[in-house]
Amino acid sequence: MRKLLIAGNWKMNGSLALAKNMIHSLKQARLESEQIESMLFPSFVHLSSMLELAEGTKIKIGAQNVSEQLQGALTGEISLPMLQEIGVTHVLLGHSERRSLYNESDELIFKKTKLAVEQGFNVIFCVGESLEARELGDTKSVINKQLQALLASPALLNHITIAYEPVWAIGTGKTASPEQAQEVHQFIREKVAAKDLARSQSMQILYGGSVNAGNAKALFAKPDIDGGLVGGASLKVEDFLGIIECIR
Ligand code: PGA
């Protein structure tokens, strides 16, 4: 049985006060005894403090991005060894904001993913179609293309969690219906199964896009939806905990 993973992506939001409050509340929620896991992606600046706050718990803390180089004259970038040094074990890659606002290509995202896994990290690998692609009926072909390089390297799959985030549902208040999301999740799991059947059964596939306490239960009840990558609703303790509460 796959556990449900509820992950919060804080993007360029959050503060030390939120970090303290959130970790404190997640500790109180005592998820260890249940089939629910939690993960948070704060800004780089807050990683060290959050790792310290989460020490001794099962709350996972990940980075929102990383450089595709291990070191060098790359002003403003953060490397995998730097993350490793402070104890980060998870990295979020391929988020649609990185793809669209920072022009990250499928090639670059795969390069980062491969390097991260080689360096011992686990990667939350995001895919998702635009509204235009959905309306044209191209959803599956877009997802297929985004997954292509990854699926051509099945050895990496043991260290990958896939997050399906339709771009039209991110930060818009529009959510994919449980049926729409399930259809894509099933498609993704079948693609993984064709490469590694065992891994396809153990891999958590997350849904992201305006997840909140009102829609989480129906989404996560679908057989191939194993939790959520939550943006806006992860920025308030009561909203994030509300998602966990509604699936308990
Ligand atoms: P949202 O963001 O929950 O605010 O739609 C999700 C994400 O971007 O990961």
Side-chain angles (χ1 to χ4, degrees):
M1 199 40 200
R2 294 183 295 270
K3 289 189 174 181
L4 285 178
L5 171 59
I6 313 300
N9 173 14
W10 286 2
K11 312 188 181 186
M12 201 174 74
N13 298 299
S15 62
L16 215 43
L18 176 65
K20 285 181 185 158
N21 216 340
M22 187 66 85
I23 300 280
H24 175 73
S25 304
L26 283 171
K27 279 185 188 168
Q28 302 280 310
R30 298 193 183 286
L31 302 178
E32 286 82 2
S33 55
E34 300 180 43
Q35 292 291 316
I36 304 173
E37 297 175 320
S38 65
M39 194 182 290
L40 292 166
F41 293 95
S43 79
F44 287 115
V45 174
H46 295 130
L47 281 170
S48 283
S49 315
M50 288 195 65
L51 283 159
E52 221 168 279
L53 289 163
E55 217 177 296
T57 73
K58 293 207 169 143
I59 304 163
K60 295 188 183 108
I61 307 294
Q64 293 175 18
N65 184 30
V66 77
S67 170
E68 75 278 17
Q69 302 293 336
L70 291 176
Q71 60 178 58
L74 295 160
T75 301
E77 289 292 292
I78 309 263
S79 73
L80 287 158
M82 290 169 185
L83 295 177
Q84 206 148 38
E85 196 175 21
I86 60 167
V88 175
T89 52
H90 290 69
V91 187
L92 183 69
L93 293 173
H95 190 280
S96 79
E97 286 151 20
R98 298 296 320 172
R99 291 175 186 268
S100 65
L101 303 174
Y102 299 94
N103 296 321
E104 292 200 4
S105 63
D106 288 338
E107 291 70 29
L108 179 67
I109 292 159
F110 179 68
K111 195 173 175 192
K112 290 183 178 192
T113 301
K114 186 165 176 285
L115 191 63
V117 173
E118 284 167 359
Q119 296 295 311
F121 286 79
N122 294 301
V123 174
I124 315 300
F125 187 95
C126 305
V127 295
E129 81 287 4
S130 65
L131 182 60
E132 193 190 3
R134 175 156 285 265
E135 285 175 347
L136 286 169
D138 289 341
T139 298
K140 287 180 184 167
S141 66
V142 168
I143 306 290
N144 200 26
K145 183 171 171 292
Q146 291 170 338
L147 288 175
Q148 204 167 18
L150 182 61
L151 293 171
S153 303
L156 303 181
L157 291 172
N158 275 328
H159 305 278
I160 306 289
T161 298
I162 296 173
Y164 167 56
E165 299 205 301
V167 177
W168 49 272
I170 295 178
T172 58
K174 285 187 202 149
T175 325
S177 69
E179 293 69 30
Q180 281 174 321
Q182 165 60 24
E183 188 186 351
V184 179
H185 280 234
Q186 187 180 341
F187 173 75
I188 293 170
R189 201 177 302 284
E190 283 167 4
K191 287 277 158 196
V192 175
K195 299 293 174 183
D196 184 340
L197 183 61
R199 181 56 186 147
S200 76
Q201 287 160 354
S202 64
M203 183 188 280
Q204 288 162 317
I205 304 180
L206 310 182
Y207 168 79
S210 301
V211 172
N212 59 42
N215 57 33
K217 195 172 177 159
L219 283 161
F220 305 163
K222 290 292 176 191
D224 290 302
I225 306 182
D226 309 309
L229 182 55
V230 185
S234 70
L235 293 172
K236 279 196 185 144
V237 173
E238 58 271 31
D239 292 350
F240 196 59
L241 269 289
I243 294 171
I244 291 170
E245 280 310 320
C246 82
I247 55 172
R248 275 185 142 164

